[in-house]
Amino acid sequence: MQKVTVISLTGHTRQFRLTDEAYTNLERYLEQARVRLGNDPDVNEVIGDLERSIGERLDVLAPNDEVLGANLLRG
């Protein structure tokens, strides 16, 4: 059995289904980006742009609402 998490990303009305490992990887990636940006006044805008870009990629990887695993989110 595998745990699936449904997420929403900035700029997308569609929700994406990720395995627990994929969700953890995505969450870690976005948190690392937030840390690297530090006190940048545009941090929220940049994170939003990242989420929009990731959502566009996920649309291509899972056009039929497939569950995305961690292996699909690499590279």
Side-chain angles (χ1 to χ4, degrees), residues 27-73:
E27 184 178 45
R28 186 178 305 127
Y29 172 79
L30 291 172
E31 183 55 32
Q32 288 173 350
R34 188 175 292 282
V35 168
R36 285 187 198 121
L37 290 165
N39 293 325
D40 187 311
D42 297 323
V43 66
N44 290 330
E45 182 178 344
V46 172
I47 296 298
D49 289 345
L50 280 172
E51 287 190 16
R52 277 186 279 284
S53 178
I54 291 165
E56 289 170 9
R57 184 172 182 190
L58 296 182
D59 270 335
V60 171
L61 291 172
N64 299 312
D65 199 33
E66 297 92 346
V67 175
L68 292 156
N71 60 330
L72 292 176
L73 297 180

Side-chain angles (χ1 to χ4, degrees), residues 16-30:
F16 301 97
R17 298 182 321 140
L18 306 176
T19 64
D20 195 37
E21 183 181 4
Y23 174 80
T24 299
N25 290 347
L26 179 57
E27 184 178 45
R28 186 178 305 127
Y29 172 79
L30 291 172

